[in-house]
Amino acid sequence: MSDFVNKLYKNQALFYKVFLFVLTSVLIVYLLPKGGKFKYDIPKGKPWQYESLYAPFDFAILKTDEEIAEEKSEITDTHIPYYDFNSDIAERVGEDALVEVHNVFPDSTLNVYETIIDNFVSKTVSEVYEFGLLQESNRLEPDQLIYLLKGNEASEVSYKKILKQGEIRDFLSQKIDRAGFSSFKTELLEVFFNSIEPNVIFNNDLTQNELNSKLNNISYTRGIIEQGSRIIAKGEVVEGNKYNILRSLKNEYESQIWSQTNYNWIIIGYSILVALALLMLLLFMRKYRIEIFENNVKVTFIFFNIIFMVMLTTLVVNFNIDYVYIVPLCILPLSLKAFFDARLGLFTHVITVLLLGFIVPNSYEYMFLQIIAGIVTILTVSELYKRANLFISVGQITLVYIISYVAFTIIQEGNIDDVKVEIFITFLLGGLATLFVQPLIYVYEKIFGMVSDMSLLELSDTNSKLLKELAEKAPGTFHHSLNVANLAEAAANEINANAMLARVGALYHDIGKMRNPTYFTENQTTSVNSHDELSPIESTQIIIDHVISGIEIAKKNNLPDRVIDFIRTHHGTSTVYYFYMKEKENNDNINADNFRYPGPIPFSKETAILMMCDSVEAASKSLKEPTSQLIDNFVEKIVDKQMEEGQFLNSNITFKEIQIIKKILKRKLKNIYHLRVEYPE
């Protein structure tokens, strides 16, 4: 039992990766659509390359989007609106008009013409309200039909038969003139205007409900293809009705309700493909990025990003497929490049795009656009912490999307007229969303405890609290750190290592000397040496302790682990040689391990660069009269000694790169000491 527990403990990192692999696969499969996958691509405008295709079952032919839009437009244009006719108003106006006659006309006129005037007014009011009076202006064509609602009855009436309020004056004037009442025109108009009011109102609710009912009853299919019927023959061009039938078959196939057995087989198929894709990613990391593979936090971060992109794309596709390109998929390679490297970022991006091919329609077009965009992202963004670079890269990514989309449209439609401008807007929105990568990287740093180049840029500021404290307490050490940082940055640039990381590591590598600054020669301002009163073993312990103190100070100030690694490894397992030799003068029987730094030795190119630069820069202060030849021999001696001690065995640095670093150190030291070319006498 104890052996099993020990084995479990030793392999806990591997078990975690297996758990993470299974969990990620399950989540992605859960998010994928569970319908069947149509096994043919439909190449519009091109010959059918597969065998002759026969209908596997009965299915309806779907109408095209253009046909449905045209049908909806026709229904909307020919739809008859509803108007309410208020009979109570018509009756009341008739009564009010007769009362107004007596109010407007003088008694002398009424004594003679009362009956004639009353009859004319009653008849005219009846004619006005035969089809009703409408307050609105002419909003419809004169010959258009409307439904006039009187109570529960609706009658079809021509729109021009209904009087509009703007027409009532002319209508009444003509009636008065024709009846021979021109002499009473002013009084009669006053009577009518004092009593007549609109009684026909547009019924928006009923009209809209009726229109929606008609639109909802539109059939989205036309005709049926029977099982066994030949759909298309090999070599036949996919266009027109053939294309619509194939599209209908694909839609029917993918939307079928599958039996439990079919469903289980689909899940198994998806699981195999998703697991295979993720396995390729793990194998890539194990072969080419072993330091990332062995770090469970970093593997978790990569898998989290894949799940995040799959989930985000699924949500957008379920909401509206037209917005699929708004998803800023290029954030994935940008994020991974910021924390790791371009090759891993691109490989992960391609794997993610392959998985998303199961979710989106027109998967080949989608995958082509996204893979090309990912390649452009990797090629164009060199220094993410520079805001201008990010904006330029986003512009280039958006341009590539647009160009690729236009090219696909030309291939599929045979002309450029069918390019949809609204798709360009989704590309622009997706580009703008990609700018969110900078705050997202900051969030990732806090959650996963990693460090990006943007954080390194902030840490490289010599006005930061910790570096200002170093400059105040140990000015000599601070000056030494600046020199080492310049050397390390130049060397890292030459061998394509992370120059920003090397510079930041160099700036902070000696912060432990703040605890006892006067015990280090660069901070001694007088001829008094603090080590004179100490034994060599005590002096050695103080010197070695600056590494431990540096780690404590760094953790207290929340420096990233990648920076603390420089503090840990910048002396490796080397010996404090001066005090070792001093002790050896008095005692031949000494343990060299008491004078050795605890390590570990450098385990990256950047930490190896720091060890070389730190040793060379510190020792160069002992040169009395430096010459070009002396500096060359001096650098060779120090670096070769570190190589002999095996300090670079774990740092993945080559002999060629070490030689390049030596050349950089020699040149920089000669510049520091302002050495000129030695001319022959």
Side-chain angles (χ1 to χ4, degrees):
M1 183 66 182
S2 61
D3 291 341
F4 175 76
V5 173
N6 290 334
K7 190 174 181 180
L8 189 67
Y9 178 77
K10 288 179 181 178
N11 295 289
Q12 59 178 325
L14 180 61
F15 287 132
Y16 175 79
K17 289 182 184 67
V18 172
F19 168 75
L20 183 65
F21 171 79
V22 173
L23 178 63
T24 305
S25 300
V26 169
L27 286 174
I28 292 175
V29 170
Y30 174 77
L31 293 170
L32 296 180
K34 302 305 186 296
K37 192 73 177 176
F38 195 57
K39 63 180 181 179
Y40 303 109
D41 285 325
I42 305 176
K44 187 177 180 182
K46 294 182 178 180
W48 182 255
Q49 299 293 331
Y50 310 101
E51 70 279 0
S52 297
L53 182 62
Y54 295 86
F57 42 74
D58 294 343
F59 66 93
I61 303 173
L62 296 174
K63 294 177 181 176
T64 64
D65 293 340
E66 292 76 14
E67 289 175 328
I68 293 170
E70 185 179 347
E71 197 169 331
K72 287 183 176 180
S73 177
E74 185 179 353
I75 289 174
T76 303
D77 293 342
T78 59
H79 179 62
I80 300 176
Y82 284 84
Y83 284 81
D84 290 324
F85 183 94
N86 193 325
S87 301
D88 294 339
I89 291 177
E91 292 177 6
R92 186 178 72 250
V93 168
E95 296 172 358
D96 292 346
L98 294 176
V99 173
E100 282 296 317
V101 168
H102 291 276
N103 293 336
V104 172
F105 283 89
D107 292 339
S108 58
T109 303
L110 292 177
N111 290 335
V112 180
Y113 299 107
E114 180 178 359
T115 303
I116 298 172
I117 291 172
D118 286 347
N119 290 338
F120 173 76
V121 169
S122 297
K123 181 182 178 184
T124 302
V125 169
S126 298
E127 290 178 2
V128 168
Y129 289 104
E130 179 181 1
F131 297 105
L133 177 61
L134 188 62
Q135 187 171 2
E136 67 184 31
S137 302
N138 292 318
R139 65 192 297 263
L140 302 175
E141 294 297 325
D143 294 330
Q144 183 169 339
L145 295 177
I146 66 165
Y147 284 122
L148 198 60
L149 287 172
K150 295 182 179 180
N152 295 325
E153 295 182 0
S155 57
E156 230 177 56
V157 177
S158 177
Y159 183 69
K160 65 184 178 183
K161 289 185 176 180
I162 301 176
L163 276 172
K164 302 2 174 243
Q165 192 158 326
E167 304 169 348
I168 190 64
R169 186 177 189 87
D170 292 340
F171 176 82
L172 293 174
S173 295
Q174 290 175 11
K175 288 291 181 183
I176 293 170
D177 292 340
R178 287 174 186 171
F181 288 110
S182 299
S183 56
F184 301 129
K185 189 172 185 177
T186 302
E187 291 83 355
L188 286 171
L189 286 175
E190 185 178 351
V191 168
F192 289 127
F193 284 132
N194 287 345
S195 53
I196 287 177
E197 59 181 282
N199 75 320
V200 176
I201 301 173
F202 174 63
N203 191 326
N204 182 66
D205 292 339
L206 185 57
T207 302
Q208 197 60 43
N209 290 339
E210 183 77 10
L211 177 60
N212 291 339
S213 177
K214 289 180 180 179
L215 293 175
N216 291 335
N217 287 330
I218 289 177
S219 173
Y220 287 81
T221 63
R222 52 173 177 79
I224 293 177
I225 300 296
E226 295 183 354
Q227 183 178 358
S229 301
R230 191 175 76 175
I231 296 173
I232 192 168
K234 185 175 182 179
E236 197 172 350
V237 177
V238 180
E239 59 184 358
N241 194 46
K242 293 290 184 183
Y243 174 76
N244 289 334
I245 293 174
L246 286 169
R247 187 174 61 91
S248 304
L249 175 61
K250 180 181 179 181
N251 186 76
E252 182 69 23
Y253 189 87
E254 294 181 348
S255 63
Q256 279 187 352
I257 299 175
W258 297 85
S259 65
Q260 187 61 41
T261 303
N262 295 133
Y263 183 82
N264 291 339
W265 279 113
I266 290 172
I267 294 296
I268 291 171
Y270 272 139
S271 300
I272 292 172
L273 293 176
V274 171
L276 190 62
L278 295 177
L279 181 62
M280 293 302 103
L281 179 58
L282 284 174
L283 291 177
F284 173 84
M285 287 190 286
R286 188 174 184 275
K287 185 172 179 62
Y288 297 106
R289 298 293 183 273
I290 188 65
E291 70 281 0
I292 296 174
F293 179 80
E294 291 175 351
N295 190 317
N296 283 342
V297 174
K298 293 179 179 178
V299 176
T300 303
F301 171 73
I302 293 169
F303 276 56
F304 170 81
N305 273 274
I306 295 174
I307 295 172
F308 177 65
M309 286 302 164
V310 173
M311 186 179 298
L312 192 59
T313 304
T314 303
L315 290 173
V316 172
V317 169
N318 290 339
F319 174 71
N320 190 330
I321 188 61
D322 294 335
Y323 300 146
V324 68
Y325 287 105
I326 291 180
V327 178
L329 200 61
C330 290
I331 280 181
L332 179 60
L334 280 174
S335 300
L336 296 183
K337 185 179 179 182
F339 290 108
F340 308 119
D341 62 86
R343 191 175 178 187
L344 178 61
L346 182 59
F347 194 92
T348 307
H349 177 74
V350 171
I351 292 292
T352 306
V353 171
L354 291 176
L355 294 174
L356 293 176
F358 294 122
I359 298 174
V360 300
N362 300 321
S363 55
Y364 176 77
E365 176 184 334
Y366 176 83
M367 289 191 294
F368 183 91
L369 262 66
Q370 295 293 11
I371 290 175
I372 290 295
I375 294 172
V376 172
T377 302
I378 293 298
L379 293 177
T380 55
V381 181
S382 55
E383 296 170 317
L384 190 60
Y385 56 84
K386 293 183 178 178
R387 289 172 295 180
N389 285 0
L390 182 59
F391 279 98
I392 292 170
S393 178
V394 166
Q396 292 171 332
I397 293 167
T398 305
L399 183 61
V400 166
Y401 272 130
I402 292 172
I403 292 172
S404 301
Y405 165 72
V406 170
F408 266 106
T409 303
I410 292 172
I411 292 171
Q412 293 169 353
E413 304 297 338
N415 60 70
I416 203 168
D417 299 333
D418 293 324
V419 171
K420 297 178 180 177
V421 179
E422 55 269 21
I423 297 294
F424 295 166
I425 298 174
T426 65
F427 291 145
L428 291 173
L429 292 174
L432 291 174
T434 306
L435 296 174
F436 186 68
V437 68
Q438 285 192 328
L440 187 64
I441 286 174
Y442 176 79
V443 173
Y444 283 156
E445 287 178 335
K446 298 304 177 186
I447 295 175
F448 293 94
M450 297 189 296
V451 60
S452 68
D453 285 350
M454 287 183 285
S455 291
L456 291 175
L457 182 65
E458 294 174 2
L459 290 170
S460 68
D461 182 9
T462 54
N463 287 316
S464 65
K465 179 182 176 183
L466 191 55
L467 291 180
K468 285 178 76 174
E469 186 180 355
L470 176 64
E472 290 172 6
K473 292 183 177 179
T477 299
F478 176 72
H479 185 261
H480 159 72
S481 298
L482 286 177
N483 289 336
V484 174
N486 292 331
L487 292 173
E489 185 177 20
N493 277 322
E494 285 296 320
I495 66 169
N496 293 321
N498 190 330
M500 180 64 71
L501 179 61
R503 179 175 183 81
V504 172
L507 287 173
Y508 290 90
H509 79 283
D510 269 345
I511 56 174
K513 292 182 179 180
M514 287 192 292
R515 292 272 173 91
N516 296 296
T518 58
Y519 285 90
F520 300 90
T521 55
E522 67 265 25
N523 298 312
Q524 293 171 359
T525 57
T526 64
S527 58
V528 178
N529 191 330
S530 302
H531 291 283
D532 292 343
E533 299 178 359
L534 300 176
S535 67
I537 191 69
E538 290 173 328
S539 295
T540 298
Q541 193 57 50
I542 292 174
I543 298 297
I544 290 176
D545 280 348
H546 88 273
V547 174
I548 308 300
S549 300
I551 295 172
E552 292 174 357
I553 294 170
K555 288 185 175 181
K556 185 179 179 181
N557 286 271
N558 297 317
L559 289 185
D561 287 338
R562 288 176 76 185
V563 177
I564 296 176
D565 288 339
F566 286 87
I567 303 173
R568 236 184 233 113
T569 62
H570 73 279
H571 285 295
T573 55
S574 61
T575 304
V576 184
Y577 193 71
Y578 176 82
F579 291 109
Y580 171 70
M581 295 304 295
K582 191 174 181 181
E583 178 69 17
K584 200 171 184 181
E585 290 174 1
N586 304 321
N587 182 9
D588 289 335
N589 259 338
I590 60 171
N591 187 355
D593 289 340
N594 293 333
F595 295 84
R596 195 180 301 279
Y597 284 96
I601 60 176
F603 46 79
S604 68
K605 288 183 181 181
E606 291 79 13
T607 51
I609 288 170
L610 175 63
M611 173 178 276
M612 288 183 257
C613 295
D614 179 45
S615 300
V616 167
E617 203 283 333
S620 69
K621 297 294 189 293
S622 64
L623 295 175
K624 303 295 183 186
E625 295 179 359
T627 64
S628 180
Q629 185 61 44
L630 184 62
I631 287 176
D632 289 348
N633 296 336
F634 170 77
V635 171
E636 291 285 347
K637 179 182 176 182
I638 290 178
V639 176
D640 288 347
K641 185 173 185 295
Q642 291 172 336
M643 292 173 65
E644 288 171 8
E645 293 176 352
Q647 299 295 332
F648 306 135
L649 292 178
N650 295 339
S651 57
N652 194 29
I653 194 168
T654 65
F655 285 114
K656 181 180 179 181
E657 288 169 336
I658 292 175
Q659 292 304 317
I660 293 172
I661 293 169
K662 285 180 181 179
K663 289 181 181 178
I664 294 296
L665 293 176
K666 292 172 186 176
R667 190 174 76 233
K668 289 289 183 181
L669 285 177
K670 290 172 187 176
N671 291 338
I672 291 172
Y673 289 106
H674 306 291
L675 296 181
R676 297 179 181 271
V677 176
E678 297 177 8
Y679 295 98
E681 295 182 0

